Amino acid sequence: QVHLQESGPGLVKTSQTLSLTCTVAGGSISSVDHYWTWVRQPPGKGLEWIGYISDTGSTSYSPSLESRFTISGDTSQNQFSLKVTSVTAADTAVYYCARGHYSGHDHGPLDYWGQGTLVTVSS
Amino acid sequence: SNVLTQPPSVSEAPGKTARITCGGDNIGSKSVHWYQQKPGQAPVLFISYNTNRASGIPQRFSASKSGNTATLTISRVEAGDEADYYCHMWDSGADHGVFGGGTKLTVL
């Protein structure tokens, strides 16, 4: 059974950098069959795609987001991470990591999700 | 950039059929996936690749796609089906995922 667990601070000060890590158990982030994503959800709002990292370490981000977001992977720890620089109150959200499933050349559904972690940005 | 449009809310009485739509210009050529999210919980994959129920999902849940609209159908609606439902597809041109805005299903 695949299990994803987000970790990181629950409170970040305005203008600082938010760092989150997703630890994966029961599956490898180097698997050619999967990609690894970050999704966030502001309080009371819908899901927002942030970006993903592939099995080869290549990354892609939602074009609606600024370049403040960086996703990286650590295959030795079977973890992948998200960094958000210069945070503001608008970055307050529950942050989820999730596993995506490839089908052929298609980026398929997110079949396993972490429980999510609430990050509050405050001065 | 692709946009997926869902109605903010749908209400239906127990035992009836609820339908949640997801519209987008390029849906016809894409695979659409559906997730259920209950308050305080992570989303759960319900339907993948337009019509395929995920493991353990009741047959009351089905989905289809016609033209530029995908539809999630919940037959014999139960109180436990109250949740937010999100559609999702991949924007291959921009290489990123896209979520619909979500639909809150209320069971009357």
Side-chain angles (χ1 to χ4, degrees):
Chain A
Q1 183 75 349
V2 178
H3 183 74
L4 290 83
Q5 179 69 58
E6 305 89 350
S7 58
L11 182 64
V12 181
K13 290 188 181 298
T14 303
S15 80
Q16 293 191 342
T17 296
L18 161 64
S19 296
L20 296 173
T21 296
C22 181
T23 300
V24 179
S28 170
I29 68 168
S30 298
S31 165
V32 298
D33 294 324
H34 302 106
Y35 63 99
W36 307 89
T37 73
W38 287 98
V39 175
R40 70 178 181 178
Q41 185 171 36
K45 297 189 177 181
L47 302 174
E48 180 179 28
W49 183 278
I50 296 174
Y52 80 99
I53 184 167
S54 74
D55 59 298
T56 61
S58 64
T59 57
S60 180
Y61 304 92
S62 172
S64 64
L65 296 178
E66 301 164 22
S67 58
R68 300 184 297 120
F69 294 76
T70 304
I71 298 173
S72 60
D74 183 344
T75 56
S76 67
Q77 298 293 321
N78 212 35
Q79 297 174 331
F80 62 106
S81 300
L82 173 70
K83 285 192 177 181
V84 186
T85 59
S86 304
V87 297
T88 70
D91 294 311
T92 294
V94 174
Y95 285 77
Y96 295 100
C97 59
R99 187 184 83 168
H101 187 266
Y102 285 123
S103 176
H105 296 291
D106 188 18
H107 288 72
L110 304 179
D111 55 2
Y112 287 95
W113 295 67
Q115 66 184 23
T117 185
L118 174 62
V119 177
T120 301
V121 178
S122 175
S123 56
Chain B
S1 182
N2 288 286
V3 175
L4 296 179
T5 302
Q6 297 182 237
S9 63
V10 166
S11 299
E12 195 50 83
K16 300 296 187 181
T17 298
R19 294 179 178 84
I20 297 171
T21 58
C22 173
D25 287 344
N26 295 315
I27 272 189
S29 61
K30 307 290 185 181
S31 292
V32 177
H33 319 294
W34 291 91
Y35 305 85
Q36 179 195 68
Q37 185 182 35
K38 293 189 173 181
Q41 298 182 20
V44 174
L45 177 65
F46 260 47
I47 303 283
S48 63
Y49 297 104
N50 304 317
T51 61
N52 299 326
R53 274 187 306 279
S55 176
I57 303 306
Q59 290 187 344
R60 299 186 297 106
F61 290 84
S62 63
S64 61
K65 194 174 64 171
S66 177
N68 287 328
T69 301
T71 302
L72 174 68
T73 301
I74 308 170
S75 304
R76 303 181 299 284
V77 167
E78 301 175 357
D81 298 333
E82 272 206 350
D84 294 325
Y85 293 86
Y86 293 90
C87 58
H88 158 226
M89 74 172 204
W90 191 261
D91 183 339
S92 55
D95 194 26
H96 71 94
V98 179
F99 289 105
T103 299
K104 180 176 180 59
L105 173 66
T106 299
V107 180
L108 300 171

